[in-house]
Amino acid sequence: MVTFGADGVEQLVREVMDAESPVDWRPITAVLGRIGEAGFDGLLQGLVSASTEESRNRVGFAFSQLGVAVLDRYTAALAHPAPLVRRQAVRGIEHCGEAGQSAAVLLPLLGDPDQQVARQAQDTLIRTGEHVLPLLRHVRERGPGRQRARALTVLAELGGEPALSRADMAAIERLIRIKLRDDRPEPLWGCWNYWMAVPSGDQAGIMRVLGLTAARPVTFALGNDIVDADGHGCDTDEHTGYERVFVTPELDGWTLVLGAWCDPHGQERREDVLCLCTELSARYGLAQAYYYGGQGDGSAWLVAEHGTVIRRYGETGEAEDELLTLGEPLPYERARRTELGLHPDWDPAQESEDDEDEWRWTAHDLAPDIARSLGAVSPLDVTADTPSRGTGVIALTPYGVAHGVPAGAYRI
């Protein structure tokens, strides 16, 4: 047992709060945790009185790490007048491993007037797992009203559409219909961007060629949010990220299909995407597929015309990139190489290793430029002024039909 008087606890808390102190404050947290309630009270006072962002972060972290011995004090602190204390108390309950058992006391904070507190409660409940679904359904059915919106978010994140009531699904579909009345195109952007582009407004025909089904109308914001979330969730135990795509309305004469399922580069999808683009180009004259890593993760492009692939190329830093190459360089590729002082046709006899490295770094970011050079609408360039006709849809791929879709809450 560690025994400290009030002065000793106060000194320890001051060390935690003091960003200029040479003392490592993290071990102090363990000591305060062993002190128990006196340590809790000292850190609570420090949390309320901290005057800088850094000191609030330090003491907040320490406060949330005190452990299950002060679980009752954390629960009581959920009603503290200071939002920072309430938020850190939620974190403390989660750190104790007792968030699931404490779900009922966390529910009121879904309606907290401080949005950071409400978001902390929401995120904590999401991490507790599906056993909180009955509590959330009760809130949706009977209130209180201030908790209902975030309860719906948690339900969607944990269980997806199957977790929602008919009334909730009807309300969501009604909201989408209302939003669609004034919906305008917006840039479609994610950390990893995959898309097909077809010069046609025949959305239904394009989906038939691709084998897409169960189309449901969505706003641009919702379509992009789903695709981006699915891209971040690729390769989980249950889902691959290939289960659904966003098919845009006609945009300046083009229809775009977005989602990881459209990847022309990755080993899982490359040959299927090649075949699909070939089929699309046989019907519509032209079809393209692109990958662009928004965080410097490389580019790839595939261009098919009248049933024939004329070019496939990628630079992502992977050893197998060279195996992807098909066809002759596109005019824009040749032009960019000439601008770099390189031979336009990749002549190994005339280029050094440094020259090739320069090209690879340039090609890393080239996919959007390739699309523009071919006259295609790029999802990255779409704006509210882009001519639009029709309504975008989220549709299931064969993967989605076979395996279902991941749960999630999305922006409408």
Side-chain angles (χ1 to χ4, degrees), residues 12-36:
L12 291 174
V13 173
R14 280 200 300 268
E15 289 291 344
V16 172
M17 296 175 66
D18 185 4
E20 304 299 324
S21 173
V23 178
D24 186 352
W25 60 275
R26 284 165 291 239
I28 298 174
T29 300
V31 174
L32 289 166
R34 292 174 63 191
I35 293 171

Side-chain angles (χ1 to χ4, degrees), residues 260-295:
W261 185 77
C262 302
D263 182 11
H265 178 271
Q267 188 172 358
E268 174 74 20
R269 292 293 305 149
R270 65 175 66 159
E271 295 310 316
D272 194 24
V273 169
L274 184 147
C275 291
L276 291 171
C277 282
T278 302
E279 287 185 55
L280 287 168
S281 72
R283 176 166 179 173
Y284 298 103
L286 179 66
Q288 304 162 8
Y290 296 91
Y291 162 66
Y292 177 63
Q295 308 297 323

Side-chain angles (χ1 to χ4, degrees), residues 42-245:
L43 285 168
L44 175 59
Q45 182 57 42
L47 200 55
V48 172
S49 62
S51 59
T52 69
E53 185 68 22
E54 184 170 358
S55 63
R56 282 191 291 271
N57 288 339
R58 287 161 63 111
V59 75
F61 175 82
F63 178 80
S64 68
Q65 303 294 304
L66 295 176
V68 72
V70 294
L71 178 60
D72 289 346
R73 302 296 300 277
Y74 280 137
T75 302
L78 296 175
H80 195 279
L84 180 58
V85 173
R86 298 198 299 276
R87 179 156 56 92
Q88 296 296 349
V90 175
R91 294 181 61 197
I93 290 172
E94 183 175 7
H95 180 73
C96 290
E98 298 294 327
Q101 289 71 22
S102 302
V105 298
L106 294 177
L107 284 177
L109 273 70
L110 293 175
D112 197 280
D114 185 274
Q115 291 304 300
Q116 287 186 299
V117 175
R119 181 59 186 263
Q120 187 71 55
Q122 170 190 300
D123 293 348
T124 298
L125 285 168
I126 289 170
R127 289 189 286 269
T128 63
E130 294 185 0
H131 63 274
V132 301
L133 292 178
L135 293 172
L136 296 163
R137 292 192 184 102
H138 186 272
V139 170
R140 288 297 301 168
E141 292 169 5
R142 303 186 184 182
R146 63 183 180 276
Q147 298 172 25
R148 296 183 79 247
R150 288 191 182 273
L152 179 61
T153 298
V154 180
L155 278 167
E157 283 285 1
L158 286 175
E161 187 174 324
L164 305 183
S165 68
R166 290 184 180 179
D168 280 339
M169 282 305 304
I172 291 169
E173 290 167 356
R174 183 167 59 251
L175 178 59
I176 290 172
R177 289 195 298 271
I178 292 170
K179 292 278 190 179
L180 281 171
R181 295 172 187 169
D182 300 314
D183 195 41
R184 295 297 305 153
E186 61 181 56
L188 303 167
W189 174 267
C191 293
W192 301 279
N193 303 277
Y194 313 86
W195 73 95
M196 295 181 186
V198 184
S200 170
D202 182 15
Q203 185 189 66
I206 291 168
M207 288 194 294
R208 280 194 297 272
V209 172
L210 295 176
L212 304 176
T213 57
R216 302 171 79 167
V218 292
T219 61
F220 275 88
L222 179 53
N224 192 56
D225 213 27
I226 289 173
V227 165
D228 187 39
D230 285 357
H232 282 83
C234 283
D235 296 326
T236 65
D237 291 340
E238 295 181 18
H239 299 289
T240 62
Y242 303 139
E243 288 84 6
R244 51 192 169 178
V245 291

